[in-house]
Each structure stands twice: as structure tokens, then as C-alpha cells.
Amino acid sequence: MSWFTEARFGLFIHWGIYAAAARHEWVKSYERLSDEQYRRYFDHFDPDLYDPGRWADEAVNAGMKYLVVTSKHHDGFCLWDSDLTDYKARRDLLAPMLDAFRERGLRTGLYYSLLDWHHPEFPNDLYHPQRDEDLGDRDIRKYADYMHGQVRELLTRYGRIDTMWFDFSYAGRGFGAKGPDEWRSAELEGMVRELQPGILINNRLGLGGGDFTTPEQVMPPGGVPGHRPWEACQTLNGSWGYHRDNHDWKPVDLLVKMLVDTVSKGGNMLLNVGPDARGEFEPRAIERLRGIGTWMRLHARSIHGAGASEFEAPQDCRYTQRGDRLYLHLLSWPMKHIHLPGLGRRVAYAQFLHDASEVPIEEIDPKEPFHHYLRGLPEDTLTLRLPVTRPDVT
Ligand code: JFZ
């Protein structure tokens, strides 16, 4: 677990034939496309510009420490050369991606959808593209055998896999809803842990918490109860898969604040890119990753290996803490001064992280000698380092 909480920041990749449709990874379900209608994207998908080393370079530059990639999403299309289906890429796209990220020292994880809108034995349900039709009798046990077999392929052919990101259980949510019984989740989890000892499994098998919790595009206000490891997955523009006409792009400073907010609550952020059907990160995605990278070059030490602080942060601020290093992040500015309650005499000075210059700390309120004050903060300060001494040092 320690690598996971040290890493704090990872790259999510949603990539498959839905990128050729260029309008969301759920397009087959949203538009109730038949296999024949959806086949045009299968036939068309041949990513001629695919170069996963470029993707890995962007991730490293952004300060990301691990990858999670959709080996198979709900549409059933496989990025790897599976023996169990022909519904797969013309060439194995997964192996070169995992190699490229590992060569750069990043950990690797696989997203695998438990749903499969292509498999002939996957029973109809409330999300299926053909939910308005009668798909006849289907045997979920045969589908689950196929699904377990695919997971076995993924965990025996591609070296060490660090996380398994299953998606998702919806038992009780209506017509044909499926959960741990249908997936045979306990059996599946046992196989995963046997094949890859030490692997981390998320909480979407329907068996409870998993090794880490995965709030989606939301920020649990106080973090995840019980200080369990958790990972917030976020999009750049509201869509996981490549969406050509989506214009809801988050600015860099918001993405940085989301990362800071997540780590201040003891979580990881898994930030998604949906590559296009030629195998490229689009310019708007690259611009944001590089913008985050510019900030991370100066501030990575307040993120990697850092986590929630023992101290209560001032309003409009967040604390991240790594050992005796407390980082004060200003989420709105300019602020001309900040009141630092509760630090006692444990803070000797404050240092701007971006240029290592110092700002004087003043004690105020003689009535309450343990309150400090930062004055004269420049317009663009985002993070300060407050070396806190150990409690026994006055
Ligand atoms: C799932 C996928 O459906 C989606 O396409 C994407 O891959 C995302 C990361 O994961 O989305 C979900 C899954 C579960 C819930 C919400 C969205 N849920 O349980 O509320």
C-alpha cells in the first residue's frame, strides 16, 4: 500500500473503439447502437499515431506516478491480444503501453469492466444497448467464466500488475442488475490475489471496501471515513472517453486545487485522458497535463509522500503534511495575511515553496500565545512550507 499513498497522483486512460465515435465511452448504450451499427468503429479503429512513450512522457512531466488503463470497457472491446475473443485490437496495444510506463519508473494498473455489451452470454439489463429488446436466454455463468478467463490472461501475460480497477457492481439497481453473485466476485478476487500477490484491488467488485475506495468525480468533503486509502478519479472535461465536441474543460488551476484538496484529505487523484482514435492525446489535454507539471516541478514535495495534516487549515486553505513538513496551500488569492491557529510554537518560519524565499511569521493575540500570523503574501503564492517542530520541542 505504501507506494500507492506515496504516489498520490496517477494517470487514468480510457481508450477503445468508442474513441472513433468521439462522443463518450457509453455511446453504444446511450444511443442503443446494435453490434452492426457499432461495428463501424471496430472496423475503423487502427491508431496509426499510437506511441505510448509519448503518453508516458506527458505523465512523468505532470508528476504522475502510476497508470490505470482500460483493458476492456463496457463495450467488450479488448486492447490486448486475448485468446478468448476476436473482439480485440488488430495488434496488442496493452503490452507496449505497460512497457513504456514501466521503463519510466511508473507503476501500472488495469481497469477491467465487469460489464460486456458485446458478449453473447451477457444477460440483458438496465444499461445494455439492447435493453428494449428481448435478448433471449443467456447464461451469466458462461459470461463469468469468460470474464474470469480474461482477467487470468491479463494477470499472467503482462508481468507485474500493481492495481486492478474493476468496474462496476450495480446489484439491486433495477432490471438485470448485476453484482458480486453474478460476477462471482469472491472467486475472482481470490484468483487475482493468487496470481499477483501484493496487487491492490479497488472497491467495485461489490464485496465491500477493497484495498482502496474510488469516489468518482466527487470529492468526499472530509475524505473517506476511517482513513482508508482512497482514490478520486477525475476527468479533464466531464468525459472519460475521447469526446471531440465536449467543451467543459477544467482549467489548470482548478485541477491543481483538486489535487491539493484530495491529498489534504489523505487521498490519491487519478486524472483521466481519453486518447483519440489515432492514438494521440489531444492538445487541450496536453496543455493541462503540462500546466500541472509546471506547478508540480516546484511543489511536488507537498504532494508525493504527503497526506492529511494533524492541523486544521485556515479558511480557503489546505494543509498537506509530510513528516515534520507542513505545506500551507492557499486556494484563493490574493490574501494579504493569514491567521495560523493552533500551531503553537511549533512553527519557526514560513518559506514560499515556489522560490524558497521566507516570509516572517508574527505571534499575535498575547492572550492566545499559540496563534501565528503571516503578512504580506504576494499575489500569486499558492504554497508555503511551514517546518513544524516535533511536539516535545518548544
Ligand atoms: C464507471 C464507468 O461506467 C465509466 O464509463 C467510467 O469508466 C468510470 C471511471 O467508471 O462509471 C461509474 C461507475 C459507478 C458509479 C458511477 C459511475 N457509481 O457506482 O455511482
mmCIF file of all heavy atoms in Angstrom, residues 246-283:
data_model
loop_
_atom_site.group_PDB
_atom_site.id
_atom_site.type_symbol
_atom_site.label_atom_id
_atom_site.label_comp_id
_atom_site.label_asym_id
_atom_site.label_seq_id
_atom_site.Cartn_x
_atom_site.Cartn_y
_atom_site.Cartn_z
ATOM 1 N N ASN A 246 -16.805 18.016 -26.737
ATOM 2 C CA ASN A 246 -17.012 18.418 -25.343
ATOM 3 C C ASN A 246 -16.171 19.658 -25.057
ATOM 4 O O ASN A 246 -14.988 19.701 -25.368
ATOM 5 C CB ASN A 246 -16.552 17.267 -24.432
ATOM 6 C CG ASN A 246 -16.824 17.601 -22.972
ATOM 7 O OD1 ASN A 246 -16.496 18.683 -22.519
ATOM 8 N ND2 ASN A 246 -17.426 16.671 -22.273
ATOM 9 N N HIS A 247 -16.794 20.663 -24.493
ATOM 10 C CA HIS A 247 -16.041 21.908 -24.248
ATOM 11 C C HIS A 247 -16.000 22.255 -22.781
ATOM 12 O O HIS A 247 -15.723 23.385 -22.414
ATOM 13 C CB HIS A 247 -16.678 23.048 -25.076
ATOM 14 C CG HIS A 247 -16.710 22.730 -26.546
ATOM 15 N ND1 HIS A 247 -15.572 22.679 -27.324
ATOM 16 C CD2 HIS A 247 -17.728 22.366 -27.356
ATOM 17 C CE1 HIS A 247 -15.893 22.327 -28.569
ATOM 18 N NE2 HIS A 247 -17.196 22.138 -28.615
ATOM 19 N N ASP A 248 -16.279 21.273 -21.931
ATOM 20 C CA ASP A 248 -16.359 21.544 -20.492
ATOM 21 C C ASP A 248 -15.000 21.285 -19.826
ATOM 22 O O ASP A 248 -14.893 20.500 -18.892
ATOM 23 C CB ASP A 248 -17.448 20.614 -19.909
ATOM 24 C CG ASP A 248 -17.664 20.875 -18.431
ATOM 25 O OD1 ASP A 248 -17.327 21.989 -17.987
ATOM 26 O OD2 ASP A 248 -18.106 19.932 -17.742
ATOM 27 N N TRP A 249 -13.976 21.916 -20.340
ATOM 28 C CA TRP A 249 -12.618 21.629 -19.888
ATOM 29 C C TRP A 249 -12.262 22.387 -18.611
ATOM 30 O O TRP A 249 -12.461 23.603 -18.521
ATOM 31 C CB TRP A 249 -11.619 21.987 -20.996
ATOM 32 C CG TRP A 249 -11.672 21.007 -22.124
ATOM 33 C CD1 TRP A 249 -12.575 20.972 -23.144
ATOM 34 C CD2 TRP A 249 -10.798 19.892 -22.326
ATOM 35 N NE1 TRP A 249 -12.323 19.912 -23.976
ATOM 36 C CE2 TRP A 249 -11.233 19.234 -23.505
ATOM 37 C CE3 TRP A 249 -9.692 19.380 -21.642
ATOM 38 C CZ2 TRP A 249 -10.598 18.098 -24.015
ATOM 39 C CZ3 TRP A 249 -9.057 18.255 -22.137
ATOM 40 C CH2 TRP A 249 -9.505 17.622 -23.310
ATOM 41 N N LYS A 250 -11.711 21.675 -17.626
ATOM 42 C CA LYS A 250 -11.303 22.304 -16.377
ATOM 43 C C LYS A 250 -9.987 23.066 -16.585
ATOM 44 O O LYS A 250 -9.083 22.555 -17.257
ATOM 45 C CB LYS A 250 -11.114 21.258 -15.283
ATOM 46 C CG LYS A 250 -12.369 20.434 -14.931
ATOM 47 C CD LYS A 250 -12.028 19.376 -13.891
ATOM 48 C CE LYS A 250 -13.254 18.540 -13.506
ATOM 49 N NZ LYS A 250 -13.632 17.559 -14.576
ATOM 50 N N PRO A 251 -9.863 24.272 -16.037
ATOM 51 C CA PRO A 251 -8.591 24.999 -16.144
ATOM 52 C C PRO A 251 -7.531 24.363 -15.240
ATOM 53 O O PRO A 251 -7.856 23.672 -14.266
ATOM 54 C CB PRO A 251 -8.951 26.408 -15.667
ATOM 55 C CG PRO A 251 -10.146 26.237 -14.790
ATOM 56 C CD PRO A 251 -10.900 25.049 -15.316
ATOM 57 N N VAL A 252 -6.285 24.665 -15.538
ATOM 58 C CA VAL A 252 -5.167 24.055 -14.793
ATOM 59 C C VAL A 252 -5.250 24.376 -13.309
ATOM 60 O O VAL A 252 -5.101 23.493 -12.458
ATOM 61 C CB VAL A 252 -3.804 24.535 -15.361
ATOM 62 C CG1 VAL A 252 -2.656 24.133 -14.439
ATOM 63 C CG2 VAL A 252 -3.580 23.960 -16.752
ATOM 64 N N ASP A 253 -5.548 25.640 -12.962
ATOM 65 C CA ASP A 253 -5.508 25.967 -11.523
ATOM 66 C C ASP A 253 -6.584 25.196 -10.763
ATOM 67 O O ASP A 253 -6.367 24.801 -9.611
ATOM 68 C CB ASP A 253 -5.601 27.475 -11.280
ATOM 69 C CG ASP A 253 -6.942 28.080 -11.628
ATOM 70 O OD1 ASP A 253 -7.666 27.468 -12.454
ATOM 71 O OD2 ASP A 253 -7.292 29.125 -11.074
ATOM 72 N N LEU A 254 -7.714 24.906 -11.405
ATOM 73 C CA LEU A 254 -8.733 24.088 -10.727
ATOM 74 C C LEU A 254 -8.230 22.662 -10.549
ATOM 75 O O LEU A 254 -8.379 22.053 -9.484
ATOM 76 C CB LEU A 254 -10.036 24.075 -11.535
ATOM 77 C CG LEU A 254 -11.118 23.114 -11.023
ATOM 78 C CD1 LEU A 254 -11.509 23.473 -9.589
ATOM 79 C CD2 LEU A 254 -12.334 23.119 -11.937
ATOM 80 N N LEU A 255 -7.572 22.123 -11.557
ATOM 81 C CA LEU A 255 -7.053 20.752 -11.468
ATOM 82 C C LEU A 255 -6.012 20.651 -10.355
ATOM 83 O O LEU A 255 -5.991 19.687 -9.584
ATOM 84 C CB LEU A 255 -6.467 20.324 -12.812
ATOM 85 C CG LEU A 255 -7.488 20.168 -13.947
ATOM 86 C CD1 LEU A 255 -6.799 20.146 -15.312
ATOM 87 C CD2 LEU A 255 -8.331 18.907 -13.747
ATOM 88 N N VAL A 256 -5.159 21.683 -10.242
ATOM 89 C CA VAL A 256 -4.156 21.694 -9.166
ATOM 90 C C VAL A 256 -4.849 21.755 -7.806
ATOM 91 O O VAL A 256 -4.514 21.008 -6.883
ATOM 92 C CB VAL A 256 -3.190 22.881 -9.343
ATOM 93 C CG1 VAL A 256 -2.358 23.106 -8.077
ATOM 94 C CG2 VAL A 256 -2.287 22.678 -10.542
ATOM 95 N N LYS A 257 -5.865 22.607 -7.692
ATOM 96 C CA LYS A 257 -6.582 22.709 -6.408
ATOM 97 C C LYS A 257 -7.268 21.389 -6.065
ATOM 98 O O LYS A 257 -7.314 20.983 -4.898
ATOM 99 C CB LYS A 257 -7.625 23.828 -6.481
ATOM 100 C CG LYS A 257 -7.020 25.221 -6.514
ATOM 101 C CD LYS A 257 -8.107 26.263 -6.644
ATOM 102 C CE LYS A 257 -7.513 27.655 -6.825
ATOM 103 N NZ LYS A 257 -8.568 28.662 -7.056
ATOM 104 N N MET A 258 -7.774 20.679 -7.090
ATOM 105 C CA MET A 258 -8.405 19.379 -6.835
ATOM 106 C C MET A 258 -7.380 18.385 -6.307
ATOM 107 O O MET A 258 -7.651 17.633 -5.370
ATOM 108 C CB MET A 258 -9.051 18.853 -8.122
ATOM 109 C CG MET A 258 -10.293 19.626 -8.552
ATOM 110 S SD MET A 258 -10.724 19.352 -10.295
ATOM 111 C CE MET A 258 -11.070 17.616 -10.303
ATOM 112 N N LEU A 259 -6.182 18.429 -6.895
ATOM 113 C CA LEU A 259 -5.113 17.527 -6.434
ATOM 114 C C LEU A 259 -4.734 17.864 -4.994
ATOM 115 O O LEU A 259 -4.663 16.986 -4.131
ATOM 116 C CB LEU A 259 -3.903 17.654 -7.362
ATOM 117 C CG LEU A 259 -2.653 16.849 -6.987
ATOM 118 C CD1 LEU A 259 -2.944 15.355 -6.927
ATOM 119 C CD2 LEU A 259 -1.527 17.139 -7.996
ATOM 120 N N VAL A 260 -4.545 19.155 -4.710
ATOM 121 C CA VAL A 260 -4.182 19.588 -3.353
ATOM 122 C C VAL A 260 -5.283 19.203 -2.363
ATOM 123 O O VAL A 260 -5.032 18.639 -1.299
ATOM 124 C CB VAL A 260 -3.959 21.110 -3.327
ATOM 125 C CG1 VAL A 260 -3.986 21.653 -1.908
ATOM 126 C CG2 VAL A 260 -2.650 21.466 -4.021
ATOM 127 N N ASP A 261 -6.526 19.455 -2.744
ATOM 128 C CA ASP A 261 -7.660 19.151 -1.851
ATOM 129 C C ASP A 261 -7.710 17.649 -1.559
ATOM 130 O O ASP A 261 -7.884 17.224 -0.423
ATOM 131 C CB ASP A 261 -8.961 19.599 -2.518
ATOM 132 C CG ASP A 261 -10.171 19.451 -1.608
ATOM 133 O OD1 ASP A 261 -10.057 19.783 -0.414
ATOM 134 O OD2 ASP A 261 -11.200 18.956 -2.081
ATOM 135 N N THR A 262 -7.485 16.843 -2.605
ATOM 136 C CA THR A 262 -7.528 15.381 -2.439
ATOM 137 C C THR A 262 -6.441 14.919 -1.471
ATOM 138 O O THR A 262 -6.706 14.198 -0.513
ATOM 139 C CB THR A 262 -7.327 14.701 -3.811
ATOM 140 O OG1 THR A 262 -8.352 15.137 -4.707
ATOM 141 C CG2 THR A 262 -7.388 13.186 -3.672
ATOM 142 N N VAL A 263 -5.216 15.374 -1.707
ATOM 143 C CA VAL A 263 -4.103 14.927 -0.861
ATOM 144 C C VAL A 263 -4.276 15.457 0.567
ATOM 145 O O VAL A 263 -3.977 14.771 1.542
ATOM 146 C CB VAL A 263 -2.753 15.367 -1.463
ATOM 147 C CG1 VAL A 263 -1.586 15.000 -0.548
ATOM 148 C CG2 VAL A 263 -2.555 14.725 -2.832
ATOM 149 N N SER A 264 -4.829 16.664 0.695
ATOM 150 C CA SER A 264 -5.044 17.229 2.044
ATOM 151 C C SER A 264 -6.029 16.380 2.841
ATOM 152 O O SER A 264 -6.071 16.462 4.075
ATOM 153 C CB SER A 264 -5.579 18.662 1.940
ATOM 154 O OG SER A 264 -6.967 18.680 1.613
ATOM 155 N N LYS A 265 -6.810 15.571 2.134
ATOM 156 C CA LYS A 265 -7.769 14.679 2.800
ATOM 157 C C LYS A 265 -7.279 13.228 2.815
ATOM 158 O O LYS A 265 -8.051 12.302 3.057
ATOM 159 C CB LYS A 265 -9.138 14.785 2.100
ATOM 160 C CG LYS A 265 -9.794 16.148 2.321
ATOM 161 C CD LYS A 265 -10.962 16.370 1.413
ATOM 162 C CE LYS A 265 -11.616 17.718 1.753
ATOM 163 N NZ LYS A 265 -12.256 18.339 0.561
ATOM 164 N N GLY A 266 -6.019 13.044 2.473
ATOM 165 C CA GLY A 266 -5.431 11.706 2.558
ATOM 166 C C GLY A 266 -5.715 10.822 1.375
ATOM 167 O O GLY A 266 -5.604 9.593 1.477
ATOM 168 N N GLY A 267 -6.105 11.419 0.222
ATOM 169 C CA GLY A 267 -6.460 10.618 -0.945
ATOM 170 C C GLY A 267 -5.474 10.758 -2.084
ATOM 171 O O GLY A 267 -4.542 11.560 -2.024
ATOM 172 N N ASN A 268 -5.689 9.918 -3.095
ATOM 173 C CA ASN A 268 -4.974 9.984 -4.372
ATOM 174 C C ASN A 268 -5.910 10.580 -5.406
ATOM 175 O O ASN A 268 -7.130 10.438 -5.301
ATOM 176 C CB ASN A 268 -4.596 8.585 -4.863
ATOM 177 C CG ASN A 268 -3.444 7.972 -4.101
ATOM 178 O OD1 ASN A 268 -3.177 8.335 -2.933
ATOM 179 N ND2 ASN A 268 -2.751 7.035 -4.727
ATOM 180 N N MET A 269 -5.325 11.192 -6.453
ATOM 181 C CA MET A 269 -6.131 11.621 -7.594
ATOM 182 C C MET A 269 -5.674 10.881 -8.844
ATOM 183 O O MET A 269 -4.483 10.866 -9.167
ATOM 184 C CB MET A 269 -6.047 13.143 -7.827
ATOM 185 C CG MET A 269 -6.959 13.591 -8.965
ATOM 186 S SD MET A 269 -7.373 15.336 -8.901
ATOM 187 C CE MET A 269 -6.122 16.028 -9.989
ATOM 188 N N LEU A 270 -6.638 10.235 -9.489
ATOM 189 C CA LEU A 270 -6.399 9.529 -10.756
ATOM 190 C C LEU A 270 -7.042 10.386 -11.836
ATOM 191 O O LEU A 270 -8.261 10.452 -11.941
ATOM 192 C CB LEU A 270 -7.021 8.135 -10.712
ATOM 193 C CG LEU A 270 -6.710 7.182 -11.866
ATOM 194 C CD1 LEU A 270 -5.218 6.858 -11.935
ATOM 195 C CD2 LEU A 270 -7.518 5.894 -11.739
ATOM 196 N N LEU A 271 -6.215 11.088 -12.605
ATOM 197 C CA LEU A 271 -6.710 12.063 -13.577
ATOM 198 C C LEU A 271 -6.720 11.450 -14.964
ATOM 199 O O LEU A 271 -5.730 10.859 -15.405
ATOM 200 C CB LEU A 271 -5.824 13.314 -13.554
ATOM 201 C CG LEU A 271 -6.252 14.488 -14.424
ATOM 202 C CD1 LEU A 271 -7.650 14.995 -14.044
ATOM 203 C CD2 LEU A 271 -5.237 15.622 -14.321
ATOM 204 N N ASN A 272 -7.877 11.568 -15.629
ATOM 205 C CA ASN A 272 -8.101 10.831 -16.862
ATOM 206 C C ASN A 272 -7.792 11.614 -18.135
ATOM 207 O O ASN A 272 -8.066 12.808 -18.238
ATOM 208 C CB ASN A 272 -9.585 10.414 -16.934
ATOM 209 C CG ASN A 272 -9.904 9.613 -18.186
ATOM 210 O OD1 ASN A 272 -9.588 8.429 -18.265
ATOM 211 N ND2 ASN A 272 -10.517 10.262 -19.179
ATOM 212 N N VAL A 273 -7.231 10.878 -19.127
ATOM 213 C CA VAL A 273 -7.141 11.354 -20.507
ATOM 214 C C VAL A 273 -7.807 10.312 -21.390
ATOM 215 O O VAL A 273 -7.634 9.104 -21.195
ATOM 216 C CB VAL A 273 -5.679 11.550 -20.944
ATOM 217 C CG1 VAL A 273 -5.603 11.915 -22.430
ATOM 218 C CG2 VAL A 273 -5.004 12.644 -20.115
ATOM 219 N N GLY A 274 -8.617 10.785 -22.350
ATOM 220 C CA GLY A 274 -9.216 9.889 -23.334
ATOM 221 C C GLY A 274 -8.525 10.102 -24.682
ATOM 222 O O GLY A 274 -8.891 11.033 -25.408
ATOM 223 N N PRO A 275 -7.546 9.284 -25.045
ATOM 224 C CA PRO A 275 -6.851 9.479 -26.314
ATOM 225 C C PRO A 275 -7.807 9.327 -27.496
ATOM 226 O O PRO A 275 -8.830 8.642 -27.392
ATOM 227 C CB PRO A 275 -5.784 8.372 -26.319
ATOM 228 C CG PRO A 275 -5.631 7.964 -24.895
ATOM 229 C CD PRO A 275 -6.989 8.144 -24.286
ATOM 230 N N ASP A 276 -7.471 9.945 -28.628
ATOM 231 C CA ASP A 276 -8.351 9.853 -29.797
ATOM 232 C C ASP A 276 -8.062 8.565 -30.579
ATOM 233 O O ASP A 276 -7.194 7.766 -30.193
ATOM 234 C CB ASP A 276 -8.198 11.109 -30.673
ATOM 235 C CG ASP A 276 -6.791 11.254 -31.281
ATOM 236 O OD1 ASP A 276 -6.086 10.237 -31.443
ATOM 237 O OD2 ASP A 276 -6.404 12.405 -31.586
ATOM 238 N N ALA A 277 -8.807 8.372 -31.658
ATOM 239 C CA ALA A 277 -8.754 7.080 -32.372
ATOM 240 C C ALA A 277 -7.480 6.930 -33.188
ATOM 241 O O ALA A 277 -7.207 5.843 -33.708
ATOM 242 C CB ALA A 277 -9.977 6.935 -33.278
ATOM 243 N N ARG A 278 -6.664 7.982 -33.309
ATOM 244 C CA ARG A 278 -5.366 7.839 -33.977
ATOM 245 C C ARG A 278 -4.270 7.535 -32.960
ATOM 246 O O ARG A 278 -3.139 7.292 -33.316
ATOM 247 C CB ARG A 278 -5.038 9.103 -34.784
ATOM 248 C CG ARG A 278 -6.009 9.328 -35.929
ATOM 249 C CD ARG A 278 -5.503 10.319 -36.933
ATOM 250 N NE ARG A 278 -4.333 9.818 -37.681
ATOM 251 C CZ ARG A 278 -3.716 10.563 -38.619
ATOM 252 N NH1 ARG A 278 -4.147 11.798 -38.862
ATOM 253 N NH2 ARG A 278 -2.662 10.074 -39.278
ATOM 254 N N GLY A 279 -4.637 7.554 -31.651
ATOM 255 C CA GLY A 279 -3.657 7.222 -30.621
ATOM 256 C C GLY A 279 -2.960 8.429 -30.037
ATOM 257 O O GLY A 279 -1.877 8.315 -29.461
ATOM 258 N N GLU A 280 -3.616 9.600 -30.134
ATOM 259 C CA GLU A 280 -2.985 10.843 -29.667
ATOM 260 C C GLU A 280 -3.723 11.416 -28.462
ATOM 261 O O GLU A 280 -4.958 11.278 -28.346
ATOM 262 C CB GLU A 280 -3.055 11.886 -30.791
ATOM 263 C CG GLU A 280 -2.180 11.552 -32.007
ATOM 264 C CD GLU A 280 -0.931 12.411 -32.065
ATOM 265 O OE1 GLU A 280 -1.064 13.565 -32.508
ATOM 266 O OE2 GLU A 280 0.129 11.913 -31.649
ATOM 267 N N PHE A 281 -2.989 12.084 -27.567
ATOM 268 C CA PHE A 281 -3.592 12.978 -26.570
ATOM 269 C C PHE A 281 -3.905 14.269 -27.322
ATOM 270 O O PHE A 281 -3.025 14.840 -27.966
ATOM 271 C CB PHE A 281 -2.604 13.309 -25.452
ATOM 272 C CG PHE A 281 -2.372 12.220 -24.429
ATOM 273 C CD1 PHE A 281 -2.916 10.953 -24.576
ATOM 274 C CD2 PHE A 281 -1.596 12.474 -23.305
ATOM 275 C CE1 PHE A 281 -2.697 9.955 -23.633
ATOM 276 C CE2 PHE A 281 -1.359 11.486 -22.347
ATOM 277 C CZ PHE A 281 -1.920 10.229 -22.508
ATOM 278 N N GLU A 282 -5.119 14.746 -27.213
ATOM 279 C CA GLU A 282 -5.451 15.983 -27.926
ATOM 280 C C GLU A 282 -4.777 17.188 -27.253
ATOM 281 O O GLU A 282 -4.457 17.147 -26.060
ATOM 282 C CB GLU A 282 -6.955 16.163 -27.984
ATOM 283 C CG GLU A 282 -7.636 16.451 -26.656
ATOM 284 C CD GLU A 282 -9.112 16.742 -26.855
ATOM 285 O OE1 GLU A 282 -9.452 17.823 -27.350
ATOM 286 O OE2 GLU A 282 -9.927 15.873 -26.510
ATOM 287 N N PRO A 283 -4.564 18.262 -28.015
ATOM 288 C CA PRO A 283 -3.824 19.425 -27.484
ATOM 289 C C PRO A 283 -4.380 19.973 -26.180
ATOM 290 O O PRO A 283 -3.627 20.351 -25.281
ATOM 291 C CB PRO A 283 -3.942 20.445 -28.619
ATOM 292 C CG PRO A 283 -4.093 19.611 -29.849
ATOM 293 C CD PRO A 283 -4.894 18.409 -29.420
#
